[in-house]
Amino acid sequence: LLAAPAVAFVAPAAPRAGTAVAAVQDMEGITMPIGLFDPLGFSNGASAEALQWYREAELKHGRVAMAGFVGYCLHANGVQFPIHIPGDYSTKSPAELWDQVPEAGKWQIVLFVGFLEFFSESGAGGAHYTKGGKPGAFPSFNSPEAGDQFKIPHPVPLDLWDPVGFTKNASPEKKERGRLIEINNGRLAMIGIMGFIAASTVPGSVPYFTEDLTQYSGSVWAPF
């Protein structure tokens, strides 16, 4: 959106492999019996900064995938939220929903997500995740860690991350377990939502699954 945080969207260079092996082995999310799953070798020779960038990307994609997977299941079973952008959402095909959203509504969604991305990369949460900060941590709207200069001027009733304070008084051990659960659930959700999309657009691509999904003839890659 703006030039200032643009560098945060570019993965840092991977100059040396000296500390890379230790950094990879120390990362959360290496779950047995699979262990380190990196078939394309992204972590080979990656710097600690690059690994943190990869983790941030994995967490964001995992969170979106979890929301998308649940949303897909709900709409496929006829469940709709009572408050939504005006439009006809009577289709039973979740993949067709985006086509039913008016163009003005699509821009609202795109710009809102863009704002969230800009705010998370703005420095409001303190140190950047590639500079010692915590990957996946979203800044508070009302009391940002970096100071009141990042505070949203308009009152915001709830923060995006943990709006009701479930983790506020959690022990370090509980938080660590929660992070591992989130990473693994996000990975599974990414596989799940892509499976839904494949099954609803390419008949027979997901065995034992295609006949249960409403087929979609449009392009899932078309933003507008």
Side-chain angles (χ1 to χ4, degrees):
L1 286 177
L2 297 178
V7 293
F9 300 105
V10 180
R16 292 184 304 172
T19 60
V21 174
V24 171
Q25 297 301 328
D26 288 341
M27 290 184 73
E28 294 176 324
I30 299 180
T31 306
M32 300 306 291
I34 298 176
L36 176 63
F37 182 76
D38 184 17
L40 298 181
F42 286 115
S43 64
N44 293 342
S47 66
E49 291 80 8
L51 292 174
Q52 294 298 83
W53 189 90
Y54 294 145
R55 172 48 48 83
E56 174 76 8
E58 180 182 34
L59 285 169
K60 285 181 178 178
H61 283 81
R63 289 167 178 172
V64 172
M66 286 188 281
F69 185 88
V70 173
Y72 198 109
C73 293
L74 289 175
H75 189 81
N77 287 278
V79 179
Q80 293 190 25
F81 289 105
I83 301 176
H84 50 68
I85 296 174
D88 178 15
Y89 306 113
S90 57
T91 175
K92 286 297 183 70
S93 170
E96 193 178 350
L97 277 178
W98 184 251
D99 297 339
Q100 307 302 318
V101 178
E103 186 168 339
K106 293 179 180 178
W107 277 111
Q108 290 180 50
I109 295 171
V110 170
L111 291 175
F112 176 68
V113 173
F115 161 74
L116 294 179
E117 184 72 6
F118 170 75
F119 187 71
S120 70
E121 299 282 351
S122 67
H128 193 264
Y129 49 82
T130 63
K131 307 296 183 183
K134 294 183 294 184
F138 194 88
S140 168
F141 293 128
N142 298 303
S143 55
E145 186 176 335
D148 288 344
Q149 66 269 30
F150 291 98
K151 187 175 180 179
I152 301 296
H154 189 280
V156 181
L158 298 172
D159 284 321
L160 182 66
W161 165 249
D162 195 12
V164 294
F166 282 128
T167 64
K168 184 177 181 180
N169 297 316
S171 65
E173 294 77 14
K174 186 176 182 179
K175 289 181 179 180
E176 182 179 2
R177 182 174 181 273
R179 290 194 297 269
L180 182 60
I181 291 173
E182 180 186 32
I183 291 170
N184 285 326
N185 285 346
R187 290 167 176 170
L188 187 58
M190 287 188 277
I191 296 173
I193 191 63
M194 290 306 296
F196 277 152
I197 293 173
S200 63
T201 55
V202 183
S205 60
V206 181
Y208 314 112
F209 201 29
T210 304
E211 294 180 359
D212 298 328
L213 293 179
T214 303
Q215 293 298 293
Y216 175 61
S217 58
S219 173
V220 295
W221 307 112
F224 293 98

